[in-house]
Amino acid sequence: MVRRTRAEAEQTRQRILDAALQVFHERGVSRTTLEQVARAAGLTRGAVYWHFANKTELFFAMREQISHPLLAKGHSLILAGDLDDPLEGIEHTFLALFQAITGCEKVRQMFDIMFLRCEFVDDFAGVLTELNRPGMEFLEKVEVAYRRAADRLTLRPGLDAKAMALDSWCFVRGLFIHFLSSPDDPAWQERIPAMIQAHIALRRHGT
């Protein structure tokens, strides 16, 4: 009985997370209430509060569930030890992120919410630092990869690893934001892989 109850509780929690993703995406975070999430999940508001203390906690749980596997894969790709050229790790990671966004509706919706449907007001006024934490951790990994490339002489001489990491992070973030905000432009989606490859090639020694 206890085992079944725990399984039912987990199923209810998952229904809430799935509903939150849909409602956040449809309405934006600031305009979403837990009452609306509860209705979308077919539950009472009390059931939502039993699992999540507030909307902020629900948002981060939703983001963590979708982004954690993606970030774990990105970290393993970007710092893969079997690469002769560490710049390949950066390129492969950016391409994998793009493939995840285009290949999985939940991932695309999650990035769309984070980049385009979050307003840092009301309940969200004080969460910007925490919201940006995974991105900053990922940025550190990109810098490590650039430093490895410099050590192996595959990074173009004279380029600073820290500056290149920030430049690449801003580049790919802007690329994805433009893609998410231009859903009716399939030609743009087709160009993104080549743009990522060209971005890395410009930083490679001897190209």
Side-chain angles (χ1 to χ4, degrees), residues 85-87 144-156 159-161:
D85 180 4
L87 296 180
V144 170
Y146 270 119
R147 292 191 186 281
R148 289 182 178 180
D151 292 340
R152 297 186 187 184
L153 305 181
T154 60
L155 182 65
R156 180 170 293 185
L159 298 182
D160 176 72

Side-chain angles (χ1 to χ4, degrees), residues 58-71:
L58 173 58
F59 173 86
F60 280 113
M62 177 212 70
R63 186 195 67 169
E64 178 72 12
Q65 183 182 64
I66 297 173
S67 66
H68 181 74
L70 185 62
L71 289 173

Side-chain angles (χ1 to χ4, degrees), residues 20-84:
L21 177 68
Q22 296 301 318
V23 180
F24 284 148
H25 188 256
E26 291 169 4
R27 300 183 57 84
V29 177
S30 65
R31 295 180 60 197
T32 293
T33 66
L34 291 186
E35 177 68 34
Q36 290 162 343
V37 173
R39 286 201 302 268
L43 300 167
T44 65
R45 187 170 59 178
V48 175
Y49 276 114
W50 192 87
H51 288 274
F52 303 99
N54 50 52
K55 184 170 66 175
T56 301
E57 183 178 307
L58 173 58
F59 173 86
F60 280 113
M62 177 212 70
R63 186 195 67 169
E64 178 72 12
Q65 183 182 64
I66 297 173
S67 66
H68 181 74
L70 185 62
L71 289 173
K73 179 180 179 180
H75 291 170
S76 66
L77 284 173
I78 204 165
L79 297 180
D82 59 348
L83 297 174
D84 293 331

Side-chain angles (χ1 to χ4, degrees), residues 85-99:
D85 180 4
L87 296 180
E88 292 182 7
I90 302 173
E91 181 179 314
H92 293 165
T93 302
F94 288 168
L95 289 171
L97 286 172
F98 173 66
Q99 290 166 359

Side-chain angles (χ1 to χ4, degrees), residues 20 59 66 72 90 104 107 121 128 133 136 140-141 165 171 196:
F59 173 86
I66 297 173
I90 302 173
C104 178
V107 172
V121 297
L128 187 57
R133 181 181 55 78
M136 294 302 97
E140 292 175 359
K141 301 293 191 303
F171 163 77
I196 292 173

